[in-house]
Each structure stands twice: as C-alpha cells, then as structure tokens.
Amino acid sequence: NSIRHAGLGPDDYIDVEAAWSGTVLRVIVRDSGSAAPPSEIVAGSIRPSPGGQSGGGLYLVDKLATRWGTNLEGSARFWFELEYPRPAGPSI
C-alpha cells in the first residue's frame, strides 16, 4: 500500500516496526510519502473487487487483525494488532 498509494519517490522510505508483548503482535507501517492516508476507513466496508488482481491488503488486515487503524503520531500510516489467545488454565 505504501508503494502504490503514498506517492513515494526513489529516495523515500517504508519503515515496518513490529513489537511482541507476549500476547499481542503490534505492527506499525510508516513511510515518507506525500499522499495523506485516508482520514476515515470504516471497518467492514473494505472489500476488493471480485476477480481483482489487487486491492486485498486492507481487506485481509480487517479480517485477520484484532484491531487496526490509521494516522498515528508522526509519519505513521497504518497499524494493526494480532492477538494470540492465552491458553485456558486448568479447570478446578
């Protein structure tokens, strides 16, 4: 998405940061592009075109991530979290 939609040039960057808390993987994607990210994306309204060759990235994030969003502080574009369920404790 950064390559296609952020208006990046040859000297621009894409930074992907991942942090694992033990139960949650949080991924933040930043780029130095000039295009503003969408101001509001409604979860569940993202759907690739039937038979389309692209356009499925945010659809997959929406379906797989526990939480996700846009426009963090600084130059961040998107973030998402994948939560690993804790195993149930022994029954007593």
Side-chain angles (χ1 to χ4, degrees):
N1 281 332
S2 287
I3 292 170
R4 179 173 281 188
H5 301 292
L8 298 179
D11 295 326
D12 291 324
Y13 70 87
I14 300 169
D15 180 55
V16 178
E17 174 186 327
W20 173 247
S21 72
T23 58
V24 175
L25 174 66
R26 182 178 179 100
V27 177
I28 299 172
V29 180
R30 293 180 176 90
D31 61 55
S32 61
S34 59
S39 60
E40 187 173 319
I41 299 174
V42 179
S45 67
I46 303 163
R47 185 174 295 279
S49 301
Q53 297 291 317
S54 66
L58 283 179
Y59 177 76
L60 288 175
V61 169
D62 185 49
K63 294 301 178 195
L64 298 174
T66 308
R67 289 172 293 281
W68 67 273
T70 63
N71 294 332
L72 289 174
E73 66 286 340
S75 61
R77 301 283 182 180
F78 294 97
W79 63 272
F80 65 89
E81 293 178 348
L82 300 172
E83 191 167 351
Y84 184 77
R86 292 180 185 243
S91 317
I92 297 179

